[in-house]
Amino acid sequence: MGKKVKILVIFTTAFSCATAKSFDAPFDMPDLSPSWKYVGPSTIRLVTTKALLGNGVDDQFVALKGRLVRHIGGRNYLFSDESGNLIVWIDPERFTTLKRNVDENTLVELRGQRTGNSWGAVPVFEVIEINIQ
């Protein structure tokens, strides 16, 4: 091979590598990593909606047991237990660890924290973990 041809091949290869785009799959690949978590004893107390609204404080970590009865919009859901209703904020990623869909009849335990807001509105519960009961 002549010197000019070798230089042309090297230049063409280098140019192709520099301008090539990485391949992006047309879909999201599933996360195949195991979803291990701690399942032992906890100091997080199980409380009712009424107790959380009446006696709870901002940034208090608790667990609630009941049902997600309605999707209000965005990341907001209406949670209900035997004592009342509460707006809960759930990041969509929290649902990915579940092995099934959740509807208004599914009994769930939500772990998270009560968050207030500066306008004096009803507190919201930010969900950190969802467990199907």
Side-chain angles (χ1 to χ4, degrees), residues 99-128:
K99 301 298 183 211
R100 59 178 250 203
N101 291 328
V102 174
D103 64 20
E104 70 278 4
N105 299 311
T106 308
L107 184 62
V108 295
E109 182 180 291
L110 306 178
R111 292 177 176 256
Q113 70 182 29
R114 176 190 153 155
T115 59
N117 81 37
S118 59
W119 300 290
V122 175
V124 173
F125 185 75
E126 182 178 346
V127 175
I128 295 171

Side-chain angles (χ1 to χ4, degrees), residues 13-70:
T13 303
F15 181 77
S16 296
C17 290
T19 60
K21 292 185 177 179
S22 63
F23 174 74
D24 291 329
F27 53 88
D28 291 330
M29 296 297 293
D31 181 10
L32 301 178
S33 61
S35 56
W36 303 105
K37 61 184 176 182
Y38 178 76
V39 294
S42 173
T43 59
I44 297 176
R45 296 182 314 128
L46 183 65
V47 300
T48 64
T49 298
K50 183 177 180 180
L52 184 62
L53 291 174
N55 304 320
V57 295
D58 288 349
D59 300 326
Q60 177 182 4
F61 285 91
V62 296
L64 299 168
K65 189 181 280 190
R67 291 176 170 72
L68 296 171
V69 295
R70 186 177 314 123

Side-chain angles (χ1 to χ4, degrees), residues 91-102:
D91 188 309
E93 287 184 9
R94 303 292 181 224
F95 289 106
T96 60
T97 60
L98 303 175
K99 301 298 183 211
R100 59 178 250 203
N101 291 328
V102 174

Side-chain angles (χ1 to χ4, degrees), residues 65-82:
K65 189 181 280 190
R67 291 176 170 72
L68 296 171
V69 295
R70 186 177 314 123
H71 180 223
I72 298 172
R75 296 175 179 188
N76 297 308
Y77 295 81
L78 183 63
F79 173 83
S80 182
D81 65 11
E82 71 279 350

